[in-house]
Amino acid sequence: MAKEKLKLSLGLVRNNNAESTGYGKWYPTIVSRQPLTMDALVDHITAHAMQYPRDIVEGVITRISLCLPELLSQGVSVRLDGIGTFTPWAQSKRGGVARPEAGLNPKDIIKGIHIRCLPDGRKAQNLTSKAFKEKCVLSLDYVVEGSKNKKTYTEIAAWVEEHAN
């Protein structure tokens, strides 16, 4: 992570779903940017770690991206110090199973297999939610009204200008 605090841009989105218990309330959202490509990530890392050539950094990341799914698919959790622990977990279909019986097909009760990442909580690289929040400079950059489901938003620029710090 960078030594200086960089701005984390936030927006507020109004819930316009009349069936929701949060109807009419405003909720924060992080302004998403384009994901880094592998090349851009390798460039970023090599800029911080001059002693490692680009091809070594790219090779290590590539190997991790190949081995991580292999290990997770075998039920092996993987801890990457300073990043977090990756663990596979199963999401069951609604209703569950009343009683397991012989010949039960796992595909009939599993909705999905997901990967969970529990951030590393050690002091130096603490990536837990509370500690990570303290590492960010939060900036409210926009307020929008709309519907997440319909993906229709209208920006309210005057609100941000009026309430700027």
Side-chain angles (χ1 to χ4, degrees):
M1 181 163 281
K3 301 257 189 247
E4 61 200 52
K5 286 187 175 185
L6 300 176
K7 181 176 90 166
L8 179 61
S9 297
L10 299 173
L12 285 178
V13 177
R14 187 174 188 183
N15 180 340
N16 287 333
N17 180 354
E19 296 175 14
S20 170
T21 57
Y23 176 71
K25 294 182 181 174
W26 296 85
Y27 294 92
T29 185
I30 293 175
V31 177
S32 296
R33 292 179 170 66
Q34 283 287 88
L36 280 182
T37 63
M38 172 72 121
D39 284 342
L41 178 61
V42 170
D43 289 344
H44 182 84
I45 291 170
T46 54
H48 287 285
M50 298 281 202
Q51 69 272 24
Y52 299 109
R54 187 180 199 293
D55 59 337
I56 298 292
V57 172
E58 186 172 12
V60 169
I61 293 172
T62 300
R63 185 53 54 196
I64 290 171
S65 72
L66 295 172
C67 292
L68 190 61
E70 174 191 353
L71 293 166
L72 292 170
S73 70
Q74 297 172 33
V76 177
S77 293
V78 178
R79 179 182 173 158
L80 299 176
D81 291 339
I83 296 174
T85 302
F86 294 83
T87 306
W89 67 278
Q91 179 184 11
S92 63
K93 290 184 178 176
R94 278 202 174 178
V97 176
R99 203 179 87 200
E101 297 179 18
L104 179 67
N105 186 344
K107 290 185 178 187
D108 293 338
I109 60 172
I110 301 293
K111 181 176 182 177
I113 302 292
H114 304 280
I115 299 169
R116 191 174 275 154
C117 180
L118 181 63
D120 192 333
R122 293 180 303 150
K123 291 260 187 226
Q125 296 92 352
N126 193 341
L127 296 175
T128 59
S129 59
K130 288 181 183 178
F132 190 72
K133 178 184 168 194
E134 295 305 315
K135 294 179 182 184
C136 299
V137 174
L138 305 177
S139 170
L140 182 60
D141 291 346
Y142 72 91
V143 175
V144 296
E145 279 192 277
S147 169
K148 242 184 184 178
N149 295 341
K150 296 178 184 174
K151 295 187 182 351
T152 56
Y153 298 108
T154 306
E155 186 167 359
I156 307 173
W159 192 94
V160 175
E161 293 163 9
E162 182 181 318
H163 296 83
N165 295 342

